[in-house]
Amino acid sequence: MPFIVFLVVLLNYFGLDDYNILIMGVSPVAWFIEFVPNMNRAHISSFVIYIVAVVFWMLIGMLLDRSIIGLKKKSAE
C-alpha cells in the first residue's frame, strides 16, 4: 500500500497528475480540502499532503497486517 501511494506522490510531484485526481484518491488531507466547506481556502503545503498520504496508508497497512496475523492465530488455536 505505501509503495503504491509513494508512486502516486511521485507522479503528482513531477506534474504527471495534472488535475490531482490520483492524489485525491489516496490522501486524507486532500479529501478534507475538497469536501469540507471553506477548507479549499486554506493553504496546505503539497509536502504535507504527500507525507500524510504515505503515513496514513502505512498505518492502514500495518493495521491490516496485525488483523490478519491475529485472525491466523485464532484459527490455529
Side-chain angles (χ1 to χ4, degrees):
M1 288 176 138
F3 181 71
I4 293 169
V5 174
F6 185 71
L7 290 176
V8 169
V9 166
L10 284 177
L11 286 172
N12 191 276
Y13 179 77
F14 289 117
L16 300 173
D17 184 17
D18 292 336
Y19 298 107
N20 297 327
I21 293 173
L22 293 175
I23 201 71
M24 272 293 300
V26 299
S27 177
V29 175
W31 300 335
F32 280 111
I33 290 172
E34 185 66 28
F35 296 115
V36 175
N38 297 325
M39 273 299 285
N40 53 359
R41 288 190 216 159
H43 177 70
I44 299 175
S45 170
S46 296
F47 182 72
V48 171
I49 293 173
Y50 298 156
I51 296 298
V52 169
V54 172
V55 170
F56 176 78
W57 287 106
M58 278 177 56
L59 292 174
I60 294 295
M62 287 172 42
L63 181 67
L64 286 173
D65 287 343
R66 300 243 182 220
S67 299
I68 291 170
I69 290 170
L71 289 173
K72 284 183 179 181
K73 283 183 181 179
K74 279 186 179 180
S75 66
E77 292 176 354

